Amino acid sequence: MADCTIRIKKNGSAMVSGSFVVEDVDGNPYTIEGEAFLCRCGASQTKPFCDGSHKAAGFESAPHVGDTA
Ligand code: FES
């Protein structure tokens, strides 16, 4: 059984739920128990986490596996 689930949100973040660690580019860990929303649009001021900026940025995504945006 997986320790976490990643759900791609339509035109938004990737919601990760479970028990996991996010490491930044320097390897600094963020231990998460519960949910985290990771930015996919590149506009967040709190990367790697989503801050809702994707709405103002007009981000459009491919929400299904195999879709191309
Ligand atoms: S996906 Fe939400 S700010 Fe980038």
Side-chain angles (χ1 to χ4, degrees):
M1 189 59 124
D3 292 324
C4 70
T5 300
I6 301 171
R7 177 170 295 199
I8 304 301
K9 308 293 280 184
K10 184 175 182 180
N11 301 329
S13 63
M15 182 183 81
V16 187
S17 59
S19 176
F20 55 92
V21 175
V22 176
E23 290 185 358
D24 69 13
V25 70
D26 296 320
N28 298 309
Y30 299 85
T31 300
I32 309 287
E33 297 284 341
E35 294 179 342
F37 297 84
L38 301 179
C39 178
R40 293 195 304 137
C41 75
S44 176
Q45 298 300 304
T46 60
K47 294 181 189 80
F49 301 104
C50 172
D51 67 358
S53 295
H54 57 268
K55 295 173 190 155
F59 179 64
E60 294 183 9
S61 67
H64 302 99
V65 173
D67 284 355
T68 56

